[in-house]
Amino acid sequence: MHLLSLWTATIAAAIVFLAGSWERIFRMPHWFADPPRSFALIAPQTKHSARFWIPLQLTFLGSFITALITNWPQPQVRPYLLMALVCFMAVTIPTATYFVKEIIAFSKMTEDTPRTPELLKRSRTWIVWTTSRNILQFISFLLIVWALFNGYY
C-alpha cells in the first residue's frame, strides 16, 4: 500500500506541475499581454479552471496525505514527504490568500479601467510570483519522486 500511495501522489504531483506550467507558459502571457484590455481573456476561463484545478488539487492532497500516512513508518521516505508538504503549503497558502483574489479582481476589470503604473506593477508581480509557484510545484514533485525511489530500497 505504501508504494501504491507514493505512485498515486507522484502522478498527481506531476499533473499539477505540468498543468500549472502549461497554463503559465501558454495562457498567462495572453492574459497579461496588454492589461487591463487583455484581462478580458481571464473571465471566460475562470469556471473551466475552477472545475479543473479544484478536483486536481483535492486529488493530489488526498493522495499525498495517504502517502504520508502509509509511509510515515519509513524513515528513508518521511523527510522527502515532509519537505514536499512544506513546498505544497508554500504554494497553497499564497494561492488561497493572494493569487485567487487577484486573478478574480483582474478578471472583473473592464477594458476602460485605467492602465496605471500600479496596475502594471500588480500584474507583473502576479506573474513573477506565479512563476515561483511553478518552481515550488516542481520541487514538490521531485521530492515525492525521491520519496518513491527511496521507498523501493
Side-chain angles (χ1 to χ4, degrees), residues 34-47:
D34 187 25
R37 209 171 313 144
S38 57
F39 289 162
L41 298 171
I42 299 169
Q45 297 175 13
T46 304
K47 287 182 183 179

Side-chain angles (χ1 to χ4, degrees), residues 94-113:
T95 296
T97 59
Y98 168 74
F99 289 102
V100 171
K101 180 185 75 156
E102 278 291 278
I103 203 71
I104 289 171
F106 291 148
S107 73
K108 291 181 179 179
M109 291 182 186
T110 61
E111 290 187 21
D112 60 346
T113 299

Side-chain angles (χ1 to χ4, degrees), residues 76-148:
Q76 74 277 16
V77 173
R78 188 181 323 127
Y80 296 109
L81 292 178
L82 289 174
M83 288 185 286
L85 177 63
V86 169
C87 289
F88 178 73
M89 296 308 294
V91 170
T92 303
I93 293 169
T95 296
T97 59
Y98 168 74
F99 289 102
V100 171
K101 180 185 75 156
E102 278 291 278
I103 203 71
I104 289 171
F106 291 148
S107 73
K108 291 181 179 179
M109 291 182 186
T110 61
E111 290 187 21
D112 60 346
T113 299
R115 184 182 167 105
T116 64
E118 178 196 326
L119 176 62
L120 296 176
K121 182 180 178 189
R122 274 176 64 195
S123 62
R124 281 191 305 270
T125 300
W126 197 93
I127 285 290
V128 167
W129 284 110
T130 224
T131 303
S132 70
R133 288 190 306 168
N134 295 125
I135 293 167
L136 286 169
Q137 288 168 338
F138 181 66
I139 293 169
S140 182
F141 166 68
L142 284 180
L143 288 165
I144 296 170
V145 168
W146 285 332
L148 177 64

